[in-house]
Amino acid sequence: MEKTLVILKPDCMEKGLYGEVLGRFARIGMEIVGCKMMHLGSEILREHYAHVADKPFFPEIEGFMSSRPVIVLILKGDGVIDRVRALLGPTNSKEAPAGTIRGDIGTNMMINICHASDGPDTAAAEIERFFKAEEVFG
């Protein structure tokens, strides 16, 4: 069984769409094995977005992602990484088809409801970044 990390972003929280998103994950058979609400500060955001932390647009990402608490999840299931990413749709919500989470309720490239790990190595690193071993239940 594979695991992935998902962050319900500030726009998801602000719009009260967390129930809708969690329901969609549940309907495709994903099991929550870790879940917490947290405020993302500069240190964890710089680590999480290290690949773009030196770019001129990073302050906008940091401002958005730290604007309100988020829900961070670990989902577990067969093929969970690819299945979650397919359910989310493309990163840019404007390009995401209807029926995907981002296509139905996202706004744009950054304001796109959720972050999800893009591969097994990324998922393992992100899970370790956001969760202690004793916070994972499966």
Side-chain angles (χ1 to χ4, degrees), residues 63-76:
F64 169 65
M65 291 298 293
S66 65
S67 65
R68 68 177 45 238
V70 298
I71 294 175
V72 185
L73 306 165
I74 302 170
L75 298 178
K76 180 179 174 181

Side-chain angles (χ1 to χ4, degrees), residues 41-63 65 129:
S42 291
E43 185 176 332
I44 199 164
L45 286 169
R46 287 200 170 277
E47 184 180 345
H48 187 66
Y49 290 104
H51 59 289
V52 295
D54 62 342
K55 303 289 185 195
F57 56 83
F58 178 73
E60 185 180 0
I61 293 171
E62 185 177 31
M65 291 298 293
R129 178 175 302 131

Side-chain angles (χ1 to χ4, degrees), residues 13-29:
M13 302 303 290
E14 180 180 5
K15 295 173 184 174
L17 296 168
Y18 37 84
E20 167 69 19
V21 173
L22 291 172
R24 289 192 190 200
F25 292 144
R27 284 191 289 281
I28 65 165

Side-chain angles (χ1 to χ4, degrees), residues 1-4 31-35 74-77 127 131-138:
M1 290 287 224
E2 190 175 62
K3 293 178 188 169
T4 193
E31 177 185 0
I32 297 173
V33 296
C35 180
I74 302 170
L75 298 178
K76 180 179 174 181
I127 288 167
F131 287 88
K132 298 174 187 166
E134 63 269 16
E135 296 175 319
V136 182
F137 300 94

